[in-house]
């Protein structure tokens, strides 16, 4: 059973470009979470999605960031017009439920570097 | 706002020493509690979790943690560390009245074990 997959593992962008990060959840999981880890900091929640729905985006920056989880295909975290402060590791996690018993499995992360 | 605090940013131990990493959270309601480990160059892996029941939880690789509700704490322990335990350790909390299951992470504790 393949784990959570993220690609690319490393992404380099110049300021002003767009970054697209992909996450394929574990088989059978329909809940996806995105977290960001800035240098020297812990992981910070960004957004929680189910298929075709954004459930909680309380951690998303108001501008330039968006996320989707279509009916078919991976979840996408999109960052428009990247700035140097967006350089971070972006982790995706998935779970089979959001209820009382909720265990999240993490992917390997995408390390975004903005030049 | 909910928060998680890990008291030690960097811990250095010799092999066979005992380990205790502190974790406190601020939230008055029902919580799920987790410890994750991130080995160098790898993704987050679940060490152990507490959902309910016995507050002393045993995880993988000889780790255990004790939930003390009155102290809002979930400290991680291991009686005798090994060089292979060198990693970063994250405490995380899921407050159960959240919409969905977003995790609030501590800032992490980097553990270095000297052979």
């Amino acid at each position: 059973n393949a784990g959570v997959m993220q690609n690319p593992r490393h992404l380099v962008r110049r300021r002003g470009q767009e970054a697209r990060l992909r996450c394929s959840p574990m088989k059978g999981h329909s809940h996806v979470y995105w977290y960001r880890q800035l240098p020297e900091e812990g992981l910070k929640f960004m957004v929680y999605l189910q298929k075709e729905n954004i459930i909680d985006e309380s951690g998303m920056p108001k501008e330039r960031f968006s996320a989707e989880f279509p009916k078919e295909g991976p979840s996408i975290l999109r960052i428009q017009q990247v700035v140097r402060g967006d350089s971070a590791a972006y982790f995706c996690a998935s779970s089979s439920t959001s209820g009382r018993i909720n265990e999240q499995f993490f992917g390997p992360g995408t390390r975004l570097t903005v030049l | 706002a909910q928060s998680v605090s890990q008291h030690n940013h960097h811990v250095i131990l010799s092999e066979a020493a005992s380990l205790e990493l502190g974790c406190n959270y601020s939230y008055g309601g029902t919580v799920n509690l987790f410890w994750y480990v991130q080995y160098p160059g790898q993704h987050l892996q679940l060490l152990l979790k507490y959902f309910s029941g016995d507050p002393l939880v045993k995880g993988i690789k000889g780790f255990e943690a004790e939930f003390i509700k009155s102290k809002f704490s979930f400290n991680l322990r291991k009686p005798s560390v090994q060089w292979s335990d060198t990693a970063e350790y994250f405490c995380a909390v899921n407050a159960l009245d959240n919409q969905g299951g977003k995790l609030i992470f501590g800032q992490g504790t980097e553990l270095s074990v000297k052979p």
Side-chain angles (χ1 to χ4, degrees):
Chain A
N1 190 11
V4 178
M5 300 181 67
Q6 290 186 250
N7 66 80
R9 295 290 304 276
H10 299 274
L11 182 60
V12 179
R13 285 287 178 266
R14 296 190 181 279
R15 281 179 297 171
Q17 292 184 319
E18 179 179 287
R20 280 184 181 239
L21 288 63
R22 295 174 188 77
C23 169
S24 297
M26 284 180 69
K27 188 176 180 181
H29 286 190
S30 59
H31 302 261
V32 166
Y33 305 81
W34 285 93
Y35 296 85
R36 176 167 66 173
Q37 184 178 28
L38 293 168
E40 306 299 320
E41 294 187 18
L43 283 78
K44 298 279 195 278
F45 168 78
M46 299 182 76
V47 62
Y48 160 47
L49 310 103
Q50 295 180 24
K51 287 282 187 182
E52 300 184 282
N53 283 305
I54 297 174
I55 306 301
D56 180 359
E57 55 181 348
S58 58
M60 286 280 268
K62 299 295 181 206
E63 297 176 346
R64 303 188 296 109
F65 284 71
S66 62
E68 62 177 10
F69 188 16
K71 187 176 179 180
E72 302 291 336
S75 175
I76 306 285
L77 179 67
R78 183 180 176 209
I79 312 172
Q80 295 178 289
Q81 300 176 326
V82 294
V83 301
R84 288 224 173 101
D86 297 332
S87 295
Y90 292 82
F91 291 94
C92 168
S94 73
S95 70
S96 59
T97 175
S98 66
R100 179 71 176 84
I101 307 297
N102 172 7
E103 181 175 338
Q104 295 178 27
F105 296 83
F106 282 79
T110 294
R111 277 158 178 78
L112 172 65
T113 302
V114 179
L115 301 177
Chain B
Q2 298 146 18
S3 66
V4 177
S5 176
Q6 292 183 237
H7 313 301
N8 313 99
H9 293 293
H10 193 183
V11 172
I12 302 173
L13 294 173
S14 297
E15 276 195 315
S18 65
L19 170 72
E20 180 159 3
L21 301 182
C23 173
N24 286 89
Y25 64 94
S26 64
Y27 180 68
T30 304
V31 293
N32 290 340
L33 298 156
F34 305 84
W35 275 97
Y36 284 87
V37 61
Q38 188 175 27
Y39 297 104
Q42 297 189 25
H43 60 281
L44 273 79
Q45 300 172 40
L46 184 67
L47 264 184
L48 47 78
K49 61 196 177 197
Y50 172 80
F51 290 147
S52 64
D54 188 345
L56 185 60
V57 179
K58 295 196 182 297
I60 60 171
K61 304 187 181 185
F63 286 91
E64 65 178 31
E66 184 175 12
F67 171 46
I68 303 179
K69 190 174 181 180
S70 61
K71 294 185 178 181
F72 299 92
S73 70
F74 190 56
N75 292 354
L76 181 71
R77 300 194 292 248
K78 185 171 184 178
S80 175
V81 295
Q82 300 172 318
W83 176 79
S84 58
D85 293 324
T86 295
E88 190 150 19
Y89 293 80
F90 294 96
C91 180
V93 171
N94 166 217
L96 289 177
D97 63 0
N98 277 337
Q99 190 178 18
K102 71 180 182 185
L103 294 175
I104 310 296
F105 281 86
Q107 62 268 53
T109 297
E110 188 178 342
L111 173 65
S112 300
V113 180
K114 297 180 187 176

